[in-house]
Amino acid sequence: MKYIILNLFLSLTILLASGEGVAEESLPKIVVLAFQLDDRTGLPNAPEELIRIELLTSTFKNQLSNKGLTIIPSSVKVQDEINKNSPSYLYENVETAADLNKDTNADYLVIGVAFKPTYLFVYPRLLIVDMKTKKVVMSKYAQLESSWLDQNTTIRTAEKLAETVKERLDLLTEKTVEKMRKLP
């Protein structure tokens, strides 16, 4: 009887250990591009707005890291491309954004743009791009309606967006793991 219980215990231990290994290996590596301010107002790129967008970006990235995601720095080519084009260029040209970051060996690319069509609202918009297929696997936006000085709303918005990204990546990772388990 001891032998059966010991065998069962060892089998369960091995099974659990191998399951944890699959989960750890399957955590996606991501490149997160900072939110670029696409300000369409009559007084674009106000310093206060740029500070708010920096807070949005830093909080968003910190939340993703806190959720256990591995964030890989973007390619140095990205900033050159951003400087040469409009703030929404990479958001609108996902294949180019993926190509610029192919050397990072990331699984996914998260592209953010903060669209400001009026003085009243900012719409942080996100795309998650599968780096293998260069296809968008999630598109999401939020409405940021607050004063420039209201950091709490900006922080909460970044936290909600990070949670949405994490949930989507978890779902995508789960599907990938399931596919791998079905392979002979």
Side-chain angles (χ1 to χ4, degrees):
M1 184 68 168
K2 280 185 181 180
Y3 181 72
I4 293 172
I5 292 174
L6 182 61
N7 260 347
L8 183 59
F9 176 75
L10 288 174
S11 297
L12 284 173
T13 303
I14 291 169
L15 183 62
L16 289 173
S18 65
E20 288 174 7
V22 169
E24 287 174 13
E25 289 173 13
S26 63
L27 288 176
K29 296 177 294 228
I30 61 173
V31 171
V32 180
L33 301 184
F35 284 92
Q36 299 300 309
L37 179 59
D38 186 5
D39 193 337
R40 307 279 177 98
T41 63
L43 298 170
N45 301 327
E48 297 89 350
E49 192 66 65
L50 293 171
I51 290 169
R52 174 164 57 175
I53 299 309
E54 176 56 38
L55 176 62
L56 179 72
T57 296
S58 62
T59 303
F60 178 70
K61 286 182 175 183
N62 286 337
Q63 286 297 309
L64 290 173
S65 289
N66 291 344
K67 294 179 183 308
L69 293 168
T70 302
I71 299 177
I72 298 170
S74 63
S75 167
V76 293
K77 302 173 202 170
V78 170
Q79 196 57 49
D80 291 338
E81 203 66 28
I82 289 170
N83 292 339
K84 290 190 296 189
N85 296 291
S86 72
S88 62
Y89 177 75
L90 294 178
Y91 183 89
E92 295 166 353
N93 295 280
V94 295
E95 286 189 23
T96 300
D99 286 341
L100 288 170
N101 285 287
K102 69 182 172 192
D103 295 340
T104 64
N105 294 319
D107 300 303
Y108 296 97
L109 172 64
V110 180
I111 305 170
V113 67
F115 180 59
K116 184 173 178 71
T118 72
Y119 296 104
L120 301 175
F121 306 105
V122 174
Y123 296 96
R125 302 184 299 171
L126 289 174
L127 297 176
I128 299 178
V129 179
D130 183 318
M131 289 293 285
K132 289 180 185 90
T133 64
K134 299 180 188 178
K135 301 292 181 200
V136 174
V137 293
M138 187 192 86
S139 176
K140 182 72 176 169
Y141 77 94
Q143 180 173 315
L144 181 53
E145 179 181 0
S146 68
S147 161
W148 287 329
L149 304 176
D150 179 9
Q151 292 186 348
N152 290 329
T153 301
T154 302
I155 290 169
R156 281 193 310 274
T157 300
E159 291 170 344
K160 288 178 185 176
L161 287 170
E163 182 62 32
T164 300
V165 167
K166 173 68 166 98
E167 288 171 2
R168 181 65 177 157
L169 290 174
D170 285 347
L171 182 62
L172 290 166
T173 301
E174 183 179 302
K175 288 180 181 179
T176 301
V177 169
E178 286 301 316
K179 284 180 185 177
M180 289 174 58
R181 286 185 180 149
K182 291 180 182 179
L183 292 175

